[in-house]
Amino acid sequence: MESNSPLLRFYPGETPWHRNWKKAFPPAFREVSFVDATFGELHRADVHTPCGTTLEFQNSPISMEELRSREAFYPNLVWILNGKKFKGFRILKSLPDVDDPRLSAYEFCHSDHLSMIRKSDLAQEKPKVLNFYHPEIKGVPLTSYYYSFCWKHPHRVWFEAKCPIIVDLGGHFLYQLKQRRQLSGDYAYLHIIPRKSFIERYVF
């Protein structure tokens, strides 16, 4: 079924969230079809830009198989997720620059509280937990663009994605899901991005 506007088609199962996102891009960028020569399958990108980037808007969880299939087909894919559907998802505190050389000997704790442990203490049963008032890391400033978060019921498949993950919580900002590689387990955090500049990156 099509809308009253010939510039924007409606598809089964498509939500207003999908349509609002697609309306941010020129009609020629929307619903671009590709044929998989290997399997003879038709793929329809939500948005495909002239620079070769595909934007896929995902309103619900997907299987690992589907994630791998799409990432393998589209060489430059960016996932945009409807974070308002996430259960138990909260943004917590500002983080320091996770790549600050002064933190190279430390790892972020996997907790709701901003704290770190020394890499040299990882072998201990109960390594000492350091907050950012501790003399060793007290001088490391917090940023205005990295944030910790809590996700009580996460969709684990997204942590396995190889392509960029953008979480849309509504409003003027988006949040890219990133992970700091750590011996004690990768530490997931958010990088805040103005929605306007994200869209302009692909429109202009």
Side-chain angles (χ1 to χ4, degrees):
M1 182 178 78
E2 296 188 2
S3 67
N4 293 330
S5 168
L7 300 180
L8 187 64
R9 289 188 174 89
F10 288 11
Y11 291 91
E14 191 172 66
T15 66
W17 177 80
H18 280 97
R19 295 194 291 271
N20 286 335
W21 259 109
K22 287 195 292 188
K23 283 192 293 187
F25 297 90
F29 293 13
R30 308 171 195 158
E31 304 298 339
V32 179
S33 296
F34 299 90
V35 176
D36 186 333
T38 302
F39 300 102
E41 297 174 344
L42 181 68
H43 292 259
R44 189 181 69 237
D46 288 333
V47 166
H48 186 76
T49 70
C51 68
T53 299
T54 299
L55 306 180
E56 286 286 278
F57 307 113
Q58 197 66 32
N59 188 55
S60 56
I62 63 173
S63 66
M64 184 65 71
E65 181 181 13
E66 181 64 18
L67 177 89
R68 293 285 180 252
S69 173
R70 290 201 223 172
E71 291 195 335
F73 185 78
Y74 297 114
N76 297 304
L77 174 64
V78 177
W79 295 101
I80 300 175
L81 313 182
N82 186 357
K84 291 190 287 186
K85 300 278 297 280
F86 294 169
K87 294 180 180 179
F89 189 97
R90 291 184 296 117
I91 298 173
L92 298 176
K93 298 179 179 179
S94 297
L95 293 176
D97 185 337
V98 299
D99 296 316
D100 191 311
R102 288 170 288 185
L103 300 179
S104 61
Y106 304 87
E107 299 206 344
F108 285 92
C109 295
H110 299 276
S111 71
D112 291 354
H113 303 288
L114 179 55
S115 54
M116 306 198 82
I117 55 176
R118 303 182 189 94
K119 287 183 179 179
S120 59
D121 291 346
L122 286 175
Q124 298 181 13
E125 184 177 349
K126 291 186 178 181
K128 181 177 176 61
V129 176
L130 313 177
N131 63 33
F132 276 79
Y133 294 104
H134 191 279
E136 291 182 29
I137 54 177
K138 185 177 180 180
V140 180
L142 301 181
T143 71
S144 60
Y145 46 87
Y146 289 153
Y147 288 86
S148 60
F149 69 99
C150 170
W151 195 357
K152 294 299 184 184
H153 306 285
H155 303 152
R156 291 291 178 188
V157 66
W158 297 122
F159 291 95
E160 301 298 324
K162 303 300 182 185
C163 298
I165 297 286
I166 305 295
V167 179
D168 177 16
L169 298 174
H172 298 294
F173 294 96
L174 304 170
Y175 298 86
Q176 183 171 356
L177 176 62
K178 295 185 173 182
Q179 298 188 67
R180 184 188 199 241
R181 302 302 177 192
Q182 300 191 152
L183 297 172
S184 59
D186 294 347
Y187 179 76
Y189 63 99
L190 300 173
H191 183 185
I192 190 170
I193 304 169
R195 181 186 296 262
K196 182 179 179 181
S197 64
F198 175 82
I199 293 171
E200 288 176 347
R201 183 187 311 171
Y202 300 107
V203 171
F204 299 106

